[in-house]
Amino acid sequence: MFENTDPKAKERITNAYTNYPEKEAVLGIGRDATFHIPSVWYAEAYSRFEKTWMYRFDYKTAAMRISKLGATHGMEIPFAFQTFDSAFGKRIVSYGSRSAALKVSHRMQGHWVNFAKYGNPNPPEGEIWPKYDETNHYTMIFDKKDYIEKDPDGMIRLAWEGVGIYK
């Protein structure tokens, strides 16, 4: 991946990941190069022209923790669509996690319904999820308790700045 990368950029990126070159750090770099950083770059660009909201799904059921998959890319889909009765959904909520997963799912769905109705994920009563922009990077974190974080993983985002990984 770093074949066409400036050596200073490679050093900046690898220094941003604790315990590099251990397996977890290498996987983190791959995950971020593939999913996280491109989504940040897209949201930054899009926010220049349209209202933009960013989220990160951090919630892990017991099965997700036991499998060591965690909240990987796409794990939020069964929560967004509440498909816990599908074969995959049943695995995710095994080990007694269904009621907690449903709470997370209801909160997520509330935001998606608001977005569909009003063009904004916030409830009509007021803003709890600020817009994303290049200055603040406000991000909704879906977890056991949802919260807004300003520029989550900001050091990692900055480490990737200016790196052309898709040549």
Side-chain angles (χ1 to χ4, degrees):
M1 183 176 79
F2 290 119
E3 190 175 296
N4 297 320
T5 302
D6 171 30
K8 288 181 182 178
K10 176 186 176 184
E11 182 179 355
R12 193 175 65 237
I13 292 166
T14 56
N15 287 339
Y17 293 82
T18 309
N19 299 324
Y20 179 83
E22 299 294 321
K23 181 181 179 180
E24 188 173 319
V26 172
L27 290 172
I29 290 170
R31 173 199 63 231
D32 289 346
T34 305
F35 301 110
H36 175 65
I37 296 304
S39 70
V40 167
W41 290 340
Y42 184 85
E44 286 175 346
Y46 195 78
S47 73
R48 293 178 205 142
F49 306 100
E50 291 292 337
K51 295 182 231 172
T52 304
W53 290 270
M54 180 72 110
Y55 76 92
R56 187 177 79 196
F57 185 77
D58 284 0
Y59 181 73
K60 300 172 203 78
T61 65
M64 291 161 74
R65 284 190 305 275
I66 291 166
S67 71
K68 300 199 189 247
L69 284 175
T72 61
H73 174 72
M75 281 296 192
E76 79 277 17
I77 301 302
F79 292 82
F81 293 100
Q82 206 172 109
T83 55
F84 301 124
D85 291 327
S86 69
F88 182 65
K90 286 177 184 176
R91 285 189 203 102
I92 289 174
V93 296
S94 59
Y95 304 107
S97 301
R98 187 179 179 92
S99 65
L102 283 169
K103 290 177 185 173
V104 175
S105 178
H106 286 134
R107 292 193 312 269
M108 283 182 75
Q109 287 181 332
H111 290 294
W112 301 164
V113 167
N114 288 338
F115 190 80
K117 280 184 177 179
Y118 312 113
N120 182 324
N122 289 295
E125 309 78 71
E127 182 177 286
I128 56 173
W129 185 345
K131 289 187 275 304
Y132 187 89
D133 62 42
E134 293 176 283
T135 303
N136 295 303
H137 301 272
Y138 288 121
T139 303
M140 171 67 80
I141 310 294
F142 289 107
D143 208 337
K144 288 179 184 175
K145 295 208 184 264
D146 307 333
Y147 59 96
I148 299 297
E149 189 169 332
K150 183 178 178 177
D151 202 10
D153 299 318
M155 289 184 63
I156 288 174
R157 178 186 57 77
L158 290 171
W160 284 93
E161 228 170 54
V163 175
I165 56 177
Y166 300 106
K167 293 182 180 181

